[in-house]
Amino acid sequence: MFAELIARAGEVSFRFGSISVDLVVDTERTRLVIDGRGARLGQTCREKADFTLAATAAAWSELGTPGARPGFQTLSAMRRTRSLVVTGDMVAFNRHLLMLERLFARLDEPEGDTAPPASPLIEPVTGRYLRLAIAGRTCRVYFEEAGEGIPLVCLHTAGSDSRQYRALLNDREITDRFRVVAFDLPWHGKSSPPAGYQRETYRLTTDGYVETVMAVIDALGLERPVVMGCSIGGRVVVHLALRHADRLRAVIGLQSALYAEDRSIGDPAPEMALHRPDIHCSQTAGALMAGMIAPRSPAPERWETMWHYMQGGPGVFHGDLHYYFEDGDLRREPIDSFRGSPCPVYLLSGEHDVSATPGMGRELAERIGAAHFEVMRDVGHFPMSENPAVFRDYLLPVLGRIAGDSD
């Protein structure tokens, strides 16, 4: 059943080195060898494989198909949902994960119409730098903005940056009514880390995250803004609404959940593969995020979303996960106090997210009495960047409600 891998092997660059993998289908085992000459299948031999990938025949058949159920879009997604068991040299597995995903999950499928524009186009987006004090330290923060009206502050995901919101910044239907502001957290994107960063280990905390967002809001003079965030941003909007409800018009959480946990199998766990000297961590980050994207998301947007992760600074993604997995756990917060809050919370969850699943989003919505909760079809963990056309169909009604409430 793996014969088509060989056909695709010629299209995948084998600059990752040579590996041998045992593929287990139910109880049958096949050896896959990948090297500079390509990929080839054969019977298992006495020599031990670098690692083994084991799944049922049904799971292997569904992997990477356009209609794949949530959790079956890539190897890393299957691993998170425990549909794939990886054993053996886990460092080698993570080191070669991007190549394996390109082979197994069909990430190199045709990209459709990517023709350049007929003439040059200057986007209506302005980018500037803001110097301000955060937690007593000077920070140089990069932000982009477009539009006029109600301030809409956009928060990016862990390990990435504000480029994830480029489609929203260019959407006239939104910018005609909202002043959209998207900024890079310190250490991310074009925002520098503070002086002396070389002597510390970056770790994002709840207090630091909330203080940073409010410092940017104050520095830009934004009156009662709407704050929208995804993933870690989708979590912190709840913390913001808990602490600063009277200063916010509303918050929108994308891929929000009370908490997050690592549901993968093996050692090192995915987050531990993001800050090791023996793994190309940025490349691995991009490969892991491929497993968080819906199978029908357009290939150019999928790869651009992955590219943002491949450009992250050393240790930054890992430091963000401290907040995502540990410090930002909402189960320790008085979230039941939300009922009757002057700051409405709107929640949107992508159906293919295997981290902050739709079920986890629904649980949060019920606990806090959210003003709105909806599951977005055909998107995963990064709705605003992986499939902005589908995402806007869910976002526009929410923004309409917020704008209507403010009239």
Side-chain angles (χ1 to χ4, degrees), residues 288-347:
L288 287 169
M289 294 307 100
M292 310 279 276
I293 296 173
R296 286 195 175 94
S297 290
E301 281 73 16
R302 175 194 300 119
W303 279 97
E304 183 173 351
T305 298
M306 293 165 59
W307 179 250
H308 300 158
Y309 276 87
M310 295 185 201
Q311 291 187 312
V316 172
F317 192 6
H318 186 258
D320 284 342
L321 292 180
H322 171 69
Y323 168 80
Y324 191 60
F325 286 127
E326 299 178 40
D327 196 72
D329 193 326
L330 283 168
R331 292 173 296 184
R332 296 193 292 263
E333 301 286 347
I335 59 172
D336 293 331
S337 65
F338 260 111
R339 299 184 184 276
S341 170
C343 180
V345 180
Y346 298 83
L347 301 177

Side-chain angles (χ1 to χ4, degrees), residues 56-228:
T56 65
W60 282 120
S61 297
E62 189 166 2
L63 170 63
T65 62
R69 291 172 293 154
F72 289 87
Q73 55 263 44
T74 64
L75 293 171
S76 58
M78 287 174 59
R79 186 178 173 219
R80 280 181 173 270
T81 56
R82 299 181 181 266
S83 301
L84 174 74
V85 177
V86 185
T87 54
D89 187 344
M90 298 305 299
V91 171
F93 169 73
N94 283 287
R95 187 183 292 144
H96 295 87
L97 182 57
L98 182 60
M99 178 184 69
L100 294 169
E101 297 289 31
R102 292 176 68 182
L103 273 177
F104 284 88
R106 301 171 175 85
L107 296 187
D108 290 336
E109 290 292 284
E111 298 183 348
D113 183 14
T114 57
S119 58
L121 173 67
I122 297 178
E123 297 183 2
V125 180
T126 300
R128 291 185 288 175
Y129 283 95
L130 171 66
R131 291 181 182 269
L132 74 167
I134 300 175
R137 305 177 73 179
T138 300
C139 293
R140 186 169 185 255
V141 171
Y142 178 77
F143 71 98
E144 295 181 342
E145 65 174 309
E148 297 179 347
I150 300 169
L152 173 60
V153 179
C154 300
L155 309 178
H156 58 76
T157 63
S160 189
D161 57 63
S162 62
R163 286 176 294 178
Q164 293 178 321
Y165 289 96
R166 67 168 177 81
L168 194 150
L169 285 159
N170 280 281
D171 193 321
R172 286 293 300 273
E173 191 169 353
I174 295 174
T175 57
D176 281 348
R177 304 179 73 184
F178 290 85
R179 177 189 174 188
V180 181
V181 177
F183 72 93
D184 298 342
L185 284 171
W187 301 74
H188 299 71
K190 289 186 177 181
S191 292
S192 301
Y197 77 90
Q198 71 277 7
R199 296 189 296 271
E200 61 189 273
T201 298
Y202 169 73
R203 298 179 81 186
L204 184 64
T205 65
T206 303
D207 291 344
Y209 201 173
V210 169
E211 182 174 354
T212 297
V213 176
M214 296 308 296
V216 171
I217 288 173
D218 289 340
L220 296 179
L222 305 180
E223 294 290 335
R224 294 191 65 235
V226 180
V227 182
M228 177 170 66

Side-chain angles (χ1 to χ4, degrees), residues 214-284:
M214 296 308 296
V216 171
I217 288 173
D218 289 340
L220 296 179
L222 305 180
E223 294 290 335
R224 294 191 65 235
V226 180
V227 182
M228 177 170 66
C230 185
S231 187
I232 59 169
R235 183 88 57 79
V236 82
V237 298
V238 181
H239 286 290
L240 286 163
L242 275 170
R243 301 184 185 189
H244 301 285
D246 59 331
R247 297 192 54 196
L248 304 175
R249 189 181 308 267
V251 298
I252 305 172
L254 312 176
Q255 313 316 118
S256 303
L258 286 167
Y259 65 98
E261 61 185 5
D262 173 30
R263 294 186 296 274
S264 61
I265 303 172
D267 182 31
E271 70 270 19
M272 296 308 297
L274 297 173
H275 193 42
R276 294 176 59 106
D278 50 356
I279 294 176
H280 192 308
C281 301
S282 296
Q283 185 170 271
T284 300

